[in-house]
Amino acid sequence: MSLHIVDKLIQGVCVLDLRGRITLGPETETVRTRVKQALAAGHSRIILDLGEVNYIDSAGLATLVASYTSAQRAGGELKLLRLTKLVRSLMQITRLSTVFEIYDSVDDAVRSFDRKKPAAAEGAP
């Protein structure tokens, strides 16, 4: 099964619902392109919903990291949602679970963007 991506906008957050396999080739390029397009369109808050991703290889993991880095460089944030057992296991084995914010519900993921306030702003003159 190839990769299929459905875009959603939920309370100002761009949710990319990925379905299928994220493997070396057109799938990884599609993910990178869609994240870059979202950032270029002004969406600085992005969630990748991986609930329907049935396989991911090392190139797919690298694509997630590259997407995260692209979002950060653009002043945005990228979070992960609904990891399958396989993807969650890979994230733990590779310790990428310490890099990404991972959520089980879309509501929690969307709300998490509002909870973050810059620490430097607190008590600053």
Side-chain angles (χ1 to χ4, degrees), residues 23-36 63:
T23 57
L24 179 63
E27 293 84 9
T28 53
E29 187 57 37
T30 298
V31 173
R32 287 182 189 187
T33 299
R34 294 295 278 276
V35 169
K36 287 179 182 178
T63 297

Side-chain angles (χ1 to χ4, degrees), residues 8-70:
K8 303 173 189 173
L9 197 58
I10 302 174
Q11 298 177 15
V13 176
C14 178
V15 179
L16 299 177
D17 185 356
L18 285 67
R19 300 171 185 187
R21 301 166 57 95
I22 306 175
T23 57
L24 179 63
E27 293 84 9
T28 53
E29 187 57 37
T30 298
V31 173
R32 287 182 189 187
T33 299
R34 294 295 278 276
V35 169
K36 287 179 182 178
Q37 287 172 343
L39 291 167
H43 299 292
S44 61
R45 303 181 307 169
I46 300 172
I47 296 172
L48 298 182
D49 185 345
L50 305 178
E52 297 295 324
V53 171
N54 54 26
Y55 183 78
I56 187 167
D57 66 7
S58 59
L61 290 175
T63 297
L64 296 181
V65 172
S67 297
Y68 175 85
T69 303
S70 292

